[in-house]
Amino acid sequence: MPTTKNAQLRYQVLDRCFQDKNNYYSIDDLLEEVNERLRAIGSHIELRQLRQDIEYMRSSDHFNAPIEAVPYWGKKCYYHYSRPFSIYNNELSPDEYDKLETSIRILKRYCSSPSYAWLEESLSQIECKFGFVANSNNLVSFQENADLKGLEYLSQVIEATVEHRVLDINYQPYGKDERLMTIHPYYVKQYNNRWFLIGYYAQKELLSNLALDRILSITEAQVHFIKNESYDFEHFFDEVVGVTVRDVPVEHIKLQFTEKRFPYVVSKPIHHSQVVEDEDQFIISIDVRPNPELEQQIFSFGKDVEVLEPEAFRQRIAEKIAENYEKYFPMHDDCTDDA
């Protein structure tokens, strides 16, 4: 039986070679292809191991792969599948597989920027799905919600943003009537498992933020695209938590956590500006523009957090807590009966 170390990666390379109708792979060629991939992770195999891998893939107890050795020059043979087949159910041709892998490598160059954290997550999911990462099957799970509304528009929105095409979007904000918005798309951002389109709202002549799950329909508008010359989206969201950017000052916000929750917040900062102000008192600070996403983040910590400063923001959170308290413990003016 072939050794299990890097086995899935070897099978992946061999599977691709056996499907390739444009090239002929001898046993030596196959060995070079496999070792070229293994060298990237500091490993290699010998010819004996390669032959064991091929027999393992052929075995009816395993992949039952229709691998055929075809004589082509003297005693040499080339190896391929005798019929359309793949040990992976990805339905990609070898050429498509190579192009996808190359595209992932190019896109990963951008993942070092915090603005593209969503891209790194997406690429990692693709790598696991199509076998670019060895031994990934059933070992890695990603949070996703296939039922999330608006995902059907994501591809169309991204394409329109890249290709500078104007969109007529039938949109319905929470608790409001639907409206037709002509949007010049500038940027697409993911936050908290939701997708948002940021673009120029032509009717109101302002920058608008649209949640894809509130979109009812999209059609392409036949108007000239207004190019973005005012906003640097590399840094547009630097001073906020989430995606809502309001025209309010940046506040120095101090939060005090319980001893139990404090290590979690230190290891997973609320914002990149986060600083530990007092480790003994479990106090951190962030410099941000207050917005609904920040409030939601604070409320997610429940009783484990207290807003210390600034006073106005502390009072706003206190008022919301009071409103919530009344939902569960309504106050009554009833007097007790006189004795």
Side-chain angles (χ1 to χ4, degrees), residues 323-335:
E323 291 173 4
N324 201 39
Y325 181 88
E326 290 183 3
K327 292 178 181 178
Y328 293 92
F329 304 100
M331 303 297 291
H332 297 287
D333 294 329
D334 298 339
C335 297

Side-chain angles (χ1 to χ4, degrees), residues 87-247:
I87 64 174
Y88 300 103
N89 186 28
N90 58 34
E91 300 181 355
L92 291 181
S93 69
D95 184 55
E96 291 171 331
Y97 189 96
D98 288 338
K99 288 179 179 178
L100 178 58
E101 186 175 22
T102 300
S103 299
I104 289 175
R105 289 177 179 174
I106 293 172
L107 289 171
K108 277 211 161 185
R109 298 175 185 174
Y110 296 92
C111 291
S112 59
S113 169
S115 301
Y116 292 93
W118 66 271
L119 177 60
E120 182 171 14
E121 178 181 344
S122 299
L123 293 178
S124 296
Q125 293 186 49
I126 295 172
E127 286 182 315
C128 287
K129 176 177 176 61
F130 290 100
F132 294 124
V133 179
N135 301 320
S136 62
N137 290 341
N138 301 321
L139 298 179
V140 182
S141 176
F142 294 92
Q143 181 181 7
E144 56 184 52
N145 183 358
D147 298 323
L148 184 66
K149 292 179 61 179
L151 289 181
E152 66 270 26
Y153 301 119
L154 181 58
S155 176
Q156 184 179 2
V157 164
I158 291 177
E159 288 179 4
T161 304
V162 172
E163 298 174 6
H164 292 176
R165 289 188 276 111
V166 185
L167 300 175
D168 280 333
I169 298 178
N170 195 19
Y171 191 76
Q172 186 169 22
Y174 287 114
K176 298 181 180 180
D177 294 334
E178 63 182 74
R179 63 192 64 170
L180 183 63
M181 305 174 67
T182 300
I183 300 293
H184 301 250
Y186 291 160
Y187 197 74
V188 180
K189 182 176 174 63
Q190 185 188 41
Y191 174 72
N192 196 26
N193 270 347
R194 298 176 71 203
W195 287 93
F196 298 85
L197 170 62
I198 295 89
Y200 180 70
Y201 182 10
Q203 289 95 327
K204 298 289 186 178
E205 297 185 344
L206 51 79
L207 193 71
S208 189
N209 183 338
L210 285 73
L212 265 62
D213 53 62
R214 306 308 302 165
I215 293 177
L216 303 178
S217 64
I218 296 179
T219 57
E220 188 169 334
Q222 302 303 315
V223 298
H224 179 70
F225 180 82
I226 299 175
K227 187 177 179 180
N228 171 33
E229 296 180 344
S230 303
Y231 305 98
D232 176 14
F233 288 105
E234 280 289 325
H235 303 287
F236 187 72
F237 301 96
D238 284 357
E239 297 174 337
V240 298
V241 173
V243 296
T244 304
V245 181
R246 291 177 168 174
D247 187 18

Side-chain angles (χ1 to χ4, degrees), residues 247-307:
D247 187 18
V248 297
V250 172
E251 299 273 10
H252 185 68
I253 298 175
K254 287 187 178 183
L255 305 172
Q256 184 174 36
F257 289 86
T258 59
E259 182 178 2
K260 180 180 179 180
R261 184 58 71 97
F262 185 68
Y264 172 84
V265 178
V266 171
S267 63
K268 187 181 179 183
I270 298 172
H271 187 257
H272 64 80
S273 66
Q274 179 171 308
V275 173
V276 175
E277 295 260 341
D278 190 327
E279 191 169 1
D280 295 328
Q281 295 298 316
F282 317 118
I283 298 173
I284 64 102
S285 68
I286 55 176
D287 295 309
V288 296
R289 300 175 189 269
N291 66 0
E293 291 94 312
L294 175 61
E295 294 179 9
Q296 291 166 11
Q297 181 82 295
I298 290 173
F299 283 118
S300 72
F301 295 117
K303 62 183 178 61
D304 291 333
V305 65
E306 178 183 357
V307 177

